[in-house]
């Protein structure tokens, strides 16, 4: 099982888990594609995708929120790199069908993308 981020409040995390599972179960009959959207960390995305995967065979799409750019890597709000998040996610949940990133505020130039 996935453990909470270091320093997180276990009570809050458990309430989040319980609410998430209830929501997934309630939506199950109405979903064609699961879209785990705008995740802030690799642990958060992996937890949600893993919960969906354990309850459904329908495709799962995951997107992350990009907060910055450092050392040639996009950064999530948690400080995880986008690359590490994708690798971590695929090691736990192998049937992800799409991976996306919300890169609002990222400026493109001839040297690649940079965060404003």
């Amino acid at each position: 099982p996935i453990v909470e981020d270091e320093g997180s409040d276990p009570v809050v995390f458990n309430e989040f888990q319980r609410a998430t599972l209830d929501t997934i179960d309630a939506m199950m009959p109405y979903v064609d594609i699961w879209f785990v959207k705008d995740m802030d960390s690799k642990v958060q995305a992996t937890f949600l995708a893993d919960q969906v995967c354990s309850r459904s065979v329908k495709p799962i799409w995951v997107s992350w929120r990009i907060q910055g750019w450092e050392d040639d890597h996009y950064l999530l709000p948690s400080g995880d790199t986008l690359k590490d998040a994708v690798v971590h996610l695929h090691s736990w949940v192998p049937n992800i069908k799409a991976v996306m990133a919300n890169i609002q505020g990222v400026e493109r130039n001839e040297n690649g993308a940079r965060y404003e």
Side-chain angles (χ1 to χ4, degrees):
I2 298 170
V3 297
E4 63 263 17
D5 285 318
E6 182 179 320
S8 66
D9 183 346
V11 174
V12 172
F13 192 79
N14 288 334
E15 289 173 5
F16 170 76
Q17 287 176 318
R18 201 168 21 262
T20 299
L21 299 180
D22 290 346
T23 301
I24 291 170
D25 291 340
M27 294 174 60
M28 192 70 64
Y30 310 104
V31 172
D32 293 320
I33 295 172
W34 291 98
F35 188 12
V36 179
K37 185 175 182 276
D38 289 342
M39 297 290 98
D40 291 336
S41 75
K42 65 185 179 186
V43 171
Q44 180 189 37
T46 303
F47 166 75
L48 290 171
D50 184 57
Q51 294 305 311
V52 169
C53 179
S54 69
R55 290 168 163 68
S56 175
V57 296
K58 295 177 181 176
I60 303 169
W61 297 359
V62 176
S63 76
W64 282 278
R65 250 180 358 108
I66 302 300
Q67 182 168 319
W69 175 267
E70 187 176 294
D71 298 327
D72 294 330
H73 295 284
Y74 287 112
L75 297 178
L76 308 181
S78 65
D80 299 326
T81 67
L82 179 60
K83 179 181 178 179
D84 288 345
V86 170
V87 169
H88 185 264
L89 177 69
H90 279 281
S91 70
W92 279 89
V93 187
N95 64 336
I96 301 297
K97 301 300 180 193
V99 173
M100 297 162 266
N102 179 349
I103 56 172
Q104 292 177 346
V106 176
E107 180 182 309
R108 290 198 166 272
N109 61 32
E110 67 277 358
N111 297 321
R114 296 290 188 268
Y115 186 74
E116 293 178 343

